[in-house]
């Protein structure tokens, strides 16, 4: 048979619950208060019974307890509660816990919510790439030779004309001497023509002229004598023969004399020989110059692949030179971001070796072709003021500013449901419930989204990770606002 104390505890709780339902049929928000009062009443009775165990010998306290608790059946009730006092105490604690849990369940879970903020919003395209000069010079040898000196080292700054590599040059110096001797011989030949052969040719011409004049006179006399019959036909033929020989000798002397004059054939030939010798000397000097490899421009050596004693050949790259000038960043951009890019856009970049030090860059080139294997296109950015630590081929990260919205309504992308669909929506904490609200998105970047319609500043939005369904109850706790 159930004890009267238990019946009182149960009846007090049921009466409180029925009374509240009669007065508030639409909600149970205050039910926990009445239930707690009823349970505390029962616990008070249990506690008094527990005190009696320690005060059994005290008549005053015993009589006081009798006046508070006993009725006509007080003795039976006292014995029952005394035997089961710890069970009743445990029952009371469990009842309190159940009431507390029911109230928390009815009010919903504690959920961190974010307040909608308004701030300037910048959308950027993030990419990685490398540092590159406008052009890179590969340094190599044009001849086969043995390296005898390398006076520079990798990373060293050089000026145009500075020696980078020296090759063995004995053979080339000998070729230069031989060519110079050929030039000298040609020049001596010209002097010989003008100082010796020209005078001899002039003298031979005068002799031929005198001989021709004599034979011409004899020919005329022979013709006169032949008409008068003083000489025969044979003598006339002999005179004609002598005259023809003298004439031929005169023409030969004239031709030779003209050939030896300035602009004549022999003179031009001698000058051509000298010119050829000089050209050969120039070739020899040019090839000898190849034994000294020099910097073609101011810059920094970024590669070094040669040592003293190495045998080098044409076509092999021995050094790399990064010329001084405008530093550029070459990065690969996903083709899906092509519509966002435009020449002149500003960017912030940082080297992976110095991630905290950022520097400015400007987009100056967009490659019109897309790599079919990677789906990326190459873009180049100028760095107007490159930091001193920036080196050729360094890996860099670049944030290109492609759009800017002043005073935009911004939320974390973690609160947006179906963000990539045509109808994105969010859950807004309102009146202790999660209310579904459709929105229209704008720019999106770095985990944040611009909301064009559907939200106002200070609205409290619920993260998708909360797992709440539309209409669910919650206790909203505002988390720190984004920077």
């Amino acid at each position: 048979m159930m004890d009267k104390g238990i019946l009182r505890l149960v009846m007090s709780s049921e009466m409180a619950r029925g009374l509240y339902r009669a007065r508030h049929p639409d909600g149970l928000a205050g039910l926990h208060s009445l239930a707690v009062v009823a349970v505390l009443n029962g616990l008070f009775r249990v506690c008094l019974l527990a005190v009696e165990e320690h005060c059994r010998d005290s008549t005053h306290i015993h009589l006081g307890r009798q006046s508070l608790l006993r009725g006509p059946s007080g003795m039976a009730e006292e014995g029952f509660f005394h035997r089961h006092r710890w069970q009743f105490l445990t029952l009371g604690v469990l009842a309190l816990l159940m009431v507390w849990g029911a109230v928390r369940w009815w009010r919903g879970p504690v959920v961190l919510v974010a307040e909608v903020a308004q701030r300037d919003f910048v959308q950027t395209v993030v990419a990685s790439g490398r540092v590159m000069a406008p052009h890179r010079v590969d340094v190599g040898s044009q001849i086969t030779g043995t390296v005898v000196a390398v006076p520079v080292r990798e990373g060293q700054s050089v000026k145009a004309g500075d020696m980078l590599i020296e090759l063995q040059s004995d053979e080339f110096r000998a070729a230069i001497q031989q060519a110079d001797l050929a030039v000298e011989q040609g020049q001596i030949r010209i002097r010989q023509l003008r100082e010796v052969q020209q005078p001899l040719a002039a003298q031979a011409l005068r002799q031929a002229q005198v001989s021709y004049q004599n034979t011409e006179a004899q020919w005329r006399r022979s013709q006169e004598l032949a008409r008068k019959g003083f000489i025969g036909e044979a003598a006339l033929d002999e005179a004609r023969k002598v005259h023809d020989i003298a004439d031929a000798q005169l023409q030969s002397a004239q031709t030779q004399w003209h050939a030896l004059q300035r602009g004549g054939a022999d003179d031009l030939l001698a000058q051509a020989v000298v010119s050829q010798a000089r050209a050969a000397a120039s070739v020899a000097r040019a090839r000898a110059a190849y034994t000294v490899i020099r910097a073609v421009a101011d810059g920094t050596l970024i590669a070094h692949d040669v040592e003293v004693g190495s045998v080098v050949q044409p076509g092999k790259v021995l050094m790399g030179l990064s010329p001084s000038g405008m530093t550029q960043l070459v990065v690969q951009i996903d083709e899906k971001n092509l519509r966002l890019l435009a020449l002149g856009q500003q960017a912030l970049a940082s080297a992976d070796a110095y991630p905290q030090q950022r520097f400015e860059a400007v987009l100056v080139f967009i490659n019109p072709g897309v790599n079919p294997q990677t789906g990326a296109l190459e873009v180049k950015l100028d760095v107007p003021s490159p930091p001193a630590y920036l080196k050729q081929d360094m890996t860099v990260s670049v944030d290109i500013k492609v759009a800017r919205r002043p005073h935009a309504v911004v939320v974390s992308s973690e609160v947006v449901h179906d963000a990539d669909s045509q109808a994105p929506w969010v859950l807004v904490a309102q009146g202790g419930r999660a209310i579904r609200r459709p929105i229209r998105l704008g720019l999106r970047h770095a985990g944040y989204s611009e909301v064009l319609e559907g939200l106002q500043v200070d609205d409290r939005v619920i993260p998708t990770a909360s797992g709440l369904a539309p209409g669910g109850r919650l206790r909203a706790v505002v988390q720190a606002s984004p920077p």
Side-chain angles (χ1 to χ4, degrees):
M1 184 175 65
M2 183 178 292
D3 186 83
K4 292 182 179 179
I6 299 176
L7 288 174
R8 288 173 187 161
L9 178 60
V10 174
M11 289 176 64
S12 61
S13 299
E14 291 296 327
M15 290 176 63
R17 182 181 299 178
L19 178 62
Y20 188 81
R21 283 175 177 169
R23 293 183 179 180
H24 303 281
D26 295 332
L28 297 176
L31 176 62
H32 66 288
S33 299
L34 297 176
V36 169
V37 171
V39 173
L40 288 177
N41 182 27
L43 288 176
F44 177 69
R45 295 171 59 86
V46 173
C47 290
L48 286 178
L49 291 173
V51 170
E52 184 226 350
E53 177 70 19
H54 302 284
C55 304
R56 186 181 299 275
D57 297 333
S58 174
T59 305
H60 178 70
I61 295 176
H62 180 66
L63 292 174
R65 184 192 62 78
Q66 286 181 344
S67 64
L68 290 172
L69 298 177
R70 282 188 178 180
S73 58
M75 291 300 294
E77 181 180 341
E78 175 188 355
F80 180 82
F81 275 96
H82 178 71
R83 289 193 305 272
H84 301 283
R85 60 184 182 277
W86 295 113
Q87 290 87 336
F88 280 113
L89 183 60
T90 303
L91 179 62
V93 173
L94 290 176
L96 282 176
L97 291 175
M98 291 175 64
V99 171
W100 176 77
V103 171
R104 285 184 61 87
W105 171 83
W106 179 81
R107 293 182 62 192
V110 175
V111 177
L112 289 176
V113 297
E115 288 188 338
V116 177
Q118 187 176 41
R119 60 186 174 90
D120 291 346
F121 188 67
V122 178
Q123 183 181 18
T124 62
V125 172
V126 181
S128 61
R130 294 192 174 276
V131 178
M132 183 176 292
H135 63 280
R136 171 175 174 163
V137 178
D138 291 331
V139 179
S141 175
Q142 294 179 279
I143 59 175
T144 299
T146 302
V147 178
V148 296
V150 183
V152 294
R153 64 184 182 278
E154 187 174 352
Q156 179 177 335
S157 296
V158 296
K159 298 292 184 181
D162 288 353
M163 184 173 70
L164 306 179
I165 303 170
E166 183 180 4
L167 305 179
Q168 192 172 21
S169 59
D170 296 345
E171 180 180 351
F172 297 97
R173 286 199 300 268
I176 291 174
Q177 293 177 354
Q178 184 177 4
D180 288 341
L181 288 175
V183 173
E184 187 176 353
Q185 287 177 353
Q187 292 173 338
I188 292 173
R189 172 61 180 166
I190 291 176
R191 289 184 59 188
Q192 183 182 19
L193 289 177
R194 294 175 180 175
E195 297 177 2
V196 178
Q197 293 187 2
Q198 281 185 1
L200 290 177
Q203 184 178 3
L205 178 59
R206 286 194 296 270
Q207 290 177 354
Q209 289 173 341
V210 171
S211 175
Y212 176 78
Q213 291 173 357
N214 291 334
T215 56
E216 178 70 18
Q218 291 178 1
W219 167 243
R220 290 175 182 170
R221 286 196 298 271
S222 297
Q223 287 179 328
E224 184 67 24
L225 292 174
R227 282 197 304 269
K228 294 179 180 181
F230 292 112
I231 59 174
E233 194 65 30
L236 183 62
D237 291 339
E238 184 65 27
R240 185 186 297 109
K241 179 179 179 181
V242 172
H243 176 268
D244 291 342
I245 292 174
D247 183 52
Q249 290 177 346
L250 175 60
Q251 292 180 5
S252 176
Q254 289 176 339
T255 300
Q256 187 172 3
W257 182 82
H258 286 297
L260 294 172
Q261 300 304 308
R262 291 182 181 273
D266 289 351
D267 182 71
L268 293 176
L269 179 60
Q271 291 184 24
V273 171
V274 172
S275 297
Q276 185 177 6
R278 286 174 177 169
S282 297
V283 171
R285 283 186 170 82
R287 291 183 62 81
Y290 294 157
T291 61
V292 178
I293 302 174
R294 301 183 182 275
V296 297
D298 297 351
T300 303
L301 292 175
I302 57 175
H304 184 287
D305 190 23
V306 63
E307 300 295 340
V308 174
S310 301
V311 177
V312 299
Q313 296 178 345
K316 181 181 179 182
V317 177
L318 306 178
M319 292 183 178
L321 177 65
S322 175
S324 301
M326 181 65 71
T327 300
Q328 286 189 327
L329 309 179
V330 180
V331 300
Q332 303 294 322
I333 303 291
D334 195 306
E335 61 180 323
K336 68 182 180 181
N337 295 317
L338 178 59
R339 60 183 176 83
L340 303 175
L341 300 178
L343 297 180
Q345 289 174 337
Q346 301 295 313
L348 287 177
S350 62
D352 288 2
Y354 303 89
Q356 303 302 322
Q357 302 183 34
R358 310 195 79 184
F359 53 90
E360 295 182 348
V362 181
L363 182 61
V364 297
F365 173 78
I366 302 174
N367 195 317
V370 177
N371 188 320
Q373 280 76 35
T374 62
L377 69 155
E378 181 181 87
V379 302
K380 295 182 180 180
L381 301 97
D382 282 346
V383 182
S385 301
Y389 63 80
L390 207 59
K391 306 298 182 185
Q392 177 79 15
D393 293 329
M394 265 187 163
T395 302
V396 292
S397 297
V398 181
D399 292 349
I400 305 174
K401 300 176 183 178
V402 297
R404 182 182 182 87
R405 295 283 194 276
H407 309 298
V409 176
V410 179
V411 296
S412 170
S413 297
E414 295 179 352
V415 306
V416 181
H417 297 259
D418 300 333
D420 295 326
S421 69
Q422 297 296 324
W425 55 280
V426 296
L427 288 176
V428 180
Q430 186 175 348
R433 291 185 179 273
I435 307 301
R436 175 169 175 160
R437 188 178 296 177
I439 59 173
R440 187 164 67 91
L441 297 178
L443 301 179
R444 284 185 279 178
H445 171 64
Y448 292 95
S449 299
E450 177 193 18
V451 179
L452 301 177
E453 294 179 1
L455 290 177
Q456 296 180 350
V457 178
D458 295 334
D459 280 348
R460 297 179 176 182
V461 288
I462 303 170
T464 58
S466 67
L468 285 177
R473 290 187 174 275
L474 77 155
R475 285 173 288 164
V477 177
V478 179
Q479 62 183 350
S481 300

PDB file of all heavy atoms in Angstrom, residues 74-94:
ATOM      1  N   GLY A  74       0.250   9.225  12.565  1.00  0.00           N
ATOM      2  CA  GLY A  74       1.631   9.721  12.520  1.00  0.00           C
ATOM      3  C   GLY A  74       2.653   8.672  12.832  1.00  0.00           C
ATOM      4  O   GLY A  74       3.752   8.700  12.301  1.00  0.00           O
ATOM      5  N   MET A  75       2.355   7.753  13.747  1.00  0.00           N
ATOM      6  CA  MET A  75       3.354   6.767  14.128  1.00  0.00           C
ATOM      7  C   MET A  75       3.698   5.860  12.981  1.00  0.00           C
ATOM      8  O   MET A  75       4.871   5.557  12.727  1.00  0.00           O
ATOM      9  CB  MET A  75       2.810   5.948  15.320  1.00  0.00           C
ATOM     10  CG  MET A  75       2.698   6.749  16.608  1.00  0.00           C
ATOM     11  SD  MET A  75       4.267   7.395  17.166  1.00  0.00           S
ATOM     12  CE  MET A  75       5.065   5.851  17.524  1.00  0.00           C
ATOM     13  N   ALA A  76       2.675   5.449  12.219  1.00  0.00           N
ATOM     14  CA  ALA A  76       2.957   4.555  11.087  1.00  0.00           C
ATOM     15  C   ALA A  76       3.753   5.275  10.013  1.00  0.00           C
ATOM     16  O   ALA A  76       4.672   4.736   9.414  1.00  0.00           O
ATOM     17  CB  ALA A  76       1.633   4.020  10.518  1.00  0.00           C
ATOM     18  N   GLU A  77       3.380   6.540   9.811  1.00  0.00           N
ATOM     19  CA  GLU A  77       4.099   7.309   8.774  1.00  0.00           C
ATOM     20  C   GLU A  77       5.541   7.534   9.176  1.00  0.00           C
ATOM     21  O   GLU A  77       6.452   7.442   8.354  1.00  0.00           O
ATOM     22  CB  GLU A  77       3.381   8.642   8.579  1.00  0.00           C
ATOM     23  CG  GLU A  77       4.029   9.515   7.522  1.00  0.00           C
ATOM     24  CD  GLU A  77       3.280  10.823   7.384  1.00  0.00           C
ATOM     25  OE1 GLU A  77       2.117  10.912   7.810  1.00  0.00           O
ATOM     26  OE2 GLU A  77       3.890  11.749   6.831  1.00  0.00           O
ATOM     27  N   GLU A  78       5.778   7.815  10.473  1.00  0.00           N
ATOM     28  CA  GLU A  78       7.160   8.046  10.938  1.00  0.00           C
ATOM     29  C   GLU A  78       8.009   6.816  10.718  1.00  0.00           C
ATOM     30  O   GLU A  78       9.146   6.904  10.251  1.00  0.00           O
ATOM     31  CB  GLU A  78       7.110   8.411  12.425  1.00  0.00           C
ATOM     32  CG  GLU A  78       8.499   8.554  13.043  1.00  0.00           C
ATOM     33  CD  GLU A  78       8.427   8.728  14.538  1.00  0.00           C
ATOM     34  OE1 GLU A  78       7.318   8.826  15.095  1.00  0.00           O
ATOM     35  OE2 GLU A  78       9.505   8.756  15.160  1.00  0.00           O
ATOM     36  N   GLY A  79       7.477   5.665  11.006  1.00  0.00           N
ATOM     37  CA  GLY A  79       8.270   4.454  10.817  1.00  0.00           C
ATOM     38  C   GLY A  79       8.611   4.198   9.378  1.00  0.00           C
ATOM     39  O   GLY A  79       9.730   3.818   9.037  1.00  0.00           O
ATOM     40  N   PHE A  80       7.683   4.437   8.479  1.00  0.00           N
ATOM     41  CA  PHE A  80       7.946   4.189   7.046  1.00  0.00           C
ATOM     42  C   PHE A  80       9.009   5.137   6.489  1.00  0.00           C
ATOM     43  O   PHE A  80       9.941   4.724   5.818  1.00  0.00           O
ATOM     44  CB  PHE A  80       6.624   4.353   6.281  1.00  0.00           C
ATOM     45  CG  PHE A  80       6.781   4.114   4.805  1.00  0.00           C
ATOM     46  CD1 PHE A  80       6.781   2.818   4.310  1.00  0.00           C
ATOM     47  CD2 PHE A  80       6.953   5.180   3.934  1.00  0.00           C
ATOM     48  CE1 PHE A  80       6.936   2.611   2.960  1.00  0.00           C
ATOM     49  CE2 PHE A  80       7.114   4.970   2.594  1.00  0.00           C
ATOM     50  CZ  PHE A  80       7.107   3.681   2.097  1.00  0.00           C
ATOM     51  N   PHE A  81       8.886   6.429   6.804  1.00  0.00           N
ATOM     52  CA  PHE A  81       9.871   7.409   6.304  1.00  0.00           C
ATOM     53  C   PHE A  81      11.233   7.196   6.928  1.00  0.00           C
ATOM     54  O   PHE A  81      12.257   7.438   6.288  1.00  0.00           O
ATOM     55  CB  PHE A  81       9.398   8.833   6.594  1.00  0.00           C
ATOM     56  CG  PHE A  81       8.463   9.380   5.554  1.00  0.00           C
ATOM     57  CD1 PHE A  81       7.088   9.324   5.721  1.00  0.00           C
ATOM     58  CD2 PHE A  81       8.975   9.925   4.390  1.00  0.00           C
ATOM     59  CE1 PHE A  81       6.245   9.809   4.758  1.00  0.00           C
ATOM     60  CE2 PHE A  81       8.125  10.416   3.424  1.00  0.00           C
ATOM     61  CZ  PHE A  81       6.756  10.372   3.597  1.00  0.00           C
ATOM     62  N   HIS A  82      11.265   6.747   8.184  1.00  0.00           N
ATOM     63  CA  HIS A  82      12.550   6.512   8.822  1.00  0.00           C
ATOM     64  C   HIS A  82      13.303   5.374   8.145  1.00  0.00           C
ATOM     65  O   HIS A  82      14.508   5.451   7.962  1.00  0.00           O
ATOM     66  CB  HIS A  82      12.325   6.197  10.307  1.00  0.00           C
ATOM     67  CG  HIS A  82      13.609   5.886  11.031  1.00  0.00           C
ATOM     68  ND1 HIS A  82      14.556   6.844  11.309  1.00  0.00           N
ATOM     69  CD2 HIS A  82      14.077   4.704  11.518  1.00  0.00           C
ATOM     70  CE1 HIS A  82      15.561   6.281  11.942  1.00  0.00           C
ATOM     71  NE2 HIS A  82      15.296   4.973  12.093  1.00  0.00           N
ATOM     72  N   ARG A  83      12.539   4.331   7.778  1.00  0.00           N
ATOM     73  CA  ARG A  83      13.215   3.199   7.143  1.00  0.00           C
ATOM     74  C   ARG A  83      13.677   3.521   5.719  1.00  0.00           C
ATOM     75  O   ARG A  83      14.652   2.956   5.228  1.00  0.00           O
ATOM     76  CB  ARG A  83      12.243   1.996   7.109  1.00  0.00           C
ATOM     77  CG  ARG A  83      11.991   1.404   8.476  1.00  0.00           C
ATOM     78  CD  ARG A  83      11.299   0.060   8.335  1.00  0.00           C
ATOM     79  NE  ARG A  83      10.074   0.156   7.561  1.00  0.00           N
ATOM     80  CZ  ARG A  83       8.889   0.445   8.117  1.00  0.00           C
ATOM     81  NH1 ARG A  83       8.764   0.690   9.413  1.00  0.00           N
ATOM     82  NH2 ARG A  83       7.810   0.483   7.340  1.00  0.00           N
ATOM     83  N   HIS A  84      13.026   4.408   5.005  1.00  0.00           N
ATOM     84  CA  HIS A  84      13.330   4.657   3.577  1.00  0.00           C
ATOM     85  C   HIS A  84      13.760   6.101   3.301  1.00  0.00           C
ATOM     86  O   HIS A  84      13.539   6.630   2.219  1.00  0.00           O
ATOM     87  CB  HIS A  84      12.082   4.336   2.730  1.00  0.00           C
ATOM     88  CG  HIS A  84      11.612   2.933   2.856  1.00  0.00           C
ATOM     89  ND1 HIS A  84      12.222   1.870   2.229  1.00  0.00           N
ATOM     90  CD2 HIS A  84      10.582   2.401   3.579  1.00  0.00           C
ATOM     91  CE1 HIS A  84      11.584   0.754   2.529  1.00  0.00           C
ATOM     92  NE2 HIS A  84      10.582   1.044   3.368  1.00  0.00           N
ATOM     93  N   ARG A  85      14.393   6.724   4.296  1.00  0.00           N
ATOM     94  CA  ARG A  85      14.719   8.143   4.123  1.00  0.00           C
ATOM     95  C   ARG A  85      15.714   8.385   2.983  1.00  0.00           C
ATOM     96  O   ARG A  85      15.597   9.356   2.234  1.00  0.00           O
ATOM     97  CB  ARG A  85      15.230   8.724   5.427  1.00  0.00           C
ATOM     98  CG  ARG A  85      16.494   8.063   5.976  1.00  0.00           C
ATOM     99  CD  ARG A  85      16.853   8.669   7.332  1.00  0.00           C
ATOM    100  NE  ARG A  85      18.065   8.100   7.872  1.00  0.00           N
ATOM    101  CZ  ARG A  85      18.120   6.955   8.541  1.00  0.00           C
ATOM    102  NH1 ARG A  85      17.000   6.244   8.723  1.00  0.00           N
ATOM    103  NH2 ARG A  85      19.261   6.492   9.022  1.00  0.00           N
ATOM    104  N   TRP A  86      16.706   7.514   2.833  1.00  0.00           N
ATOM    105  CA  TRP A  86      17.728   7.748   1.763  1.00  0.00           C
ATOM    106  C   TRP A  86      17.125   7.475   0.383  1.00  0.00           C
ATOM    107  O   TRP A  86      17.477   8.130  -0.600  1.00  0.00           O
ATOM    108  CB  TRP A  86      18.943   6.842   1.975  1.00  0.00           C
ATOM    109  CG  TRP A  86      19.682   7.184   3.251  1.00  0.00           C
ATOM    110  CD1 TRP A  86      19.813   6.450   4.366  1.00  0.00           C
ATOM    111  CD2 TRP A  86      20.363   8.408   3.491  1.00  0.00           C
ATOM    112  NE1 TRP A  86      20.527   7.094   5.314  1.00  0.00           N
ATOM    113  CE2 TRP A  86      20.902   8.326   4.812  1.00  0.00           C
ATOM    114  CE3 TRP A  86      20.577   9.578   2.755  1.00  0.00           C
ATOM    115  CZ2 TRP A  86      21.629   9.351   5.386  1.00  0.00           C
ATOM    116  CZ3 TRP A  86      21.315  10.593   3.336  1.00  0.00           C
ATOM    117  CH2 TRP A  86      21.822  10.485   4.632  1.00  0.00           C
ATOM    118  N   GLN A  87      16.229   6.535   0.271  1.00  0.00           N
ATOM    119  CA  GLN A  87      15.572   6.305  -1.005  1.00  0.00           C
ATOM    120  C   GLN A  87      14.750   7.514  -1.427  1.00  0.00           C
ATOM    121  O   GLN A  87      14.735   7.914  -2.596  1.00  0.00           O
ATOM    122  CB  GLN A  87      14.655   5.064  -0.929  1.00  0.00           C
ATOM    123  CG  GLN A  87      15.412   3.748  -0.817  1.00  0.00           C
ATOM    124  CD  GLN A  87      15.744   3.372   0.611  1.00  0.00           C
ATOM    125  OE1 GLN A  87      15.813   4.259   1.479  1.00  0.00           O
ATOM    126  NE2 GLN A  87      15.964   2.083   0.875  1.00  0.00           N
ATOM    127  N   PHE A  88      14.058   8.109  -0.419  1.00  0.00           N
ATOM    128  CA  PHE A  88      13.261   9.289  -0.746  1.00  0.00           C
ATOM    129  C   PHE A  88      14.139  10.473  -1.145  1.00  0.00           C
ATOM    130  O   PHE A  88      13.790  11.265  -2.020  1.00  0.00           O
ATOM    131  CB  PHE A  88      12.362   9.665   0.439  1.00  0.00           C
ATOM    132  CG  PHE A  88      11.130   8.830   0.525  1.00  0.00           C
ATOM    133  CD1 PHE A  88      10.929   7.934   1.580  1.00  0.00           C
ATOM    134  CD2 PHE A  88      10.158   8.918  -0.464  1.00  0.00           C
ATOM    135  CE1 PHE A  88       9.803   7.157   1.638  1.00  0.00           C
ATOM    136  CE2 PHE A  88       9.019   8.149  -0.392  1.00  0.00           C
ATOM    137  CZ  PHE A  88       8.837   7.246   0.647  1.00  0.00           C
ATOM    138  N   LEU A  89      15.294  10.599  -0.489  1.00  0.00           N
ATOM    139  CA  LEU A  89      16.218  11.693  -0.839  1.00  0.00           C
ATOM    140  C   LEU A  89      16.724  11.526  -2.275  1.00  0.00           C
ATOM    141  O   LEU A  89      16.774  12.491  -3.061  1.00  0.00           O
ATOM    142  CB  LEU A  89      17.392  11.701   0.137  1.00  0.00           C
ATOM    143  CG  LEU A  89      18.413  12.848  -0.072  1.00  0.00           C
ATOM    144  CD1 LEU A  89      17.725  14.199   0.079  1.00  0.00           C
ATOM    145  CD2 LEU A  89      19.564  12.720   0.922  1.00  0.00           C
ATOM    146  N   THR A  90      17.100  10.295  -2.648  1.00  0.00           N
ATOM    147  CA  THR A  90      17.552  10.032  -4.023  1.00  0.00           C
ATOM    148  C   THR A  90      16.440  10.301  -5.017  1.00  0.00           C
ATOM    149  O   THR A  90      16.651  10.884  -6.098  1.00  0.00           O
ATOM    150  CB  THR A  90      18.025   8.576  -4.147  1.00  0.00           C
ATOM    151  OG1 THR A  90      19.059   8.331  -3.201  1.00  0.00           O
ATOM    152  CG2 THR A  90      18.539   8.296  -5.562  1.00  0.00           C
ATOM    153  N   LEU A  91      15.200   9.864  -4.624  1.00  0.00           N
ATOM    154  CA  LEU A  91      14.065  10.102  -5.508  1.00  0.00           C
ATOM    155  C   LEU A  91      13.837  11.589  -5.743  1.00  0.00           C
ATOM    156  O   LEU A  91      13.550  12.034  -6.851  1.00  0.00           O
ATOM    157  CB  LEU A  91      12.812   9.459  -4.892  1.00  0.00           C
ATOM    158  CG  LEU A  91      11.499   9.648  -5.698  1.00  0.00           C
ATOM    159  CD1 LEU A  91      11.634   8.984  -7.053  1.00  0.00           C
ATOM    160  CD2 LEU A  91      10.320   9.096  -4.929  1.00  0.00           C
ATOM    161  N   GLY A  92      14.023  12.389  -4.704  1.00  0.00           N
ATOM    162  CA  GLY A  92      13.838  13.829  -4.848  1.00  0.00           C
ATOM    163  C   GLY A  92      14.857  14.452  -5.784  1.00  0.00           C
ATOM    164  O   GLY A  92      14.533  15.297  -6.621  1.00  0.00           O
ATOM    165  N   VAL A  93      16.144  14.009  -5.628  1.00  0.00           N
ATOM    166  CA  VAL A  93      17.199  14.550  -6.504  1.00  0.00           C
ATOM    167  C   VAL A  93      16.932  14.177  -7.950  1.00  0.00           C
ATOM    168  O   VAL A  93      17.054  14.992  -8.872  1.00  0.00           O
ATOM    169  CB  VAL A  93      18.581  14.049  -6.054  1.00  0.00           C
ATOM    170  CG1 VAL A  93      19.653  14.458  -7.051  1.00  0.00           C
ATOM    171  CG2 VAL A  93      18.898  14.598  -4.668  1.00  0.00           C
ATOM    172  N   LEU A  94      16.526  12.913  -8.175  1.00  0.00           N
ATOM    173  CA  LEU A  94      16.230  12.481  -9.543  1.00  0.00           C
ATOM    174  C   LEU A  94      15.066  13.258 -10.131  1.00  0.00           C
ATOM    175  O   LEU A  94      15.043  13.609 -11.313  1.00  0.00           O
ATOM    176  CB  LEU A  94      15.927  10.986  -9.566  1.00  0.00           C
ATOM    177  CG  LEU A  94      17.129  10.062  -9.307  1.00  0.00           C
ATOM    178  CD1 LEU A  94      16.664   8.610  -9.267  1.00  0.00           C
ATOM    179  CD2 LEU A  94      18.178  10.257 -10.389  1.00  0.00           C
TER     180      LEU A  94
END
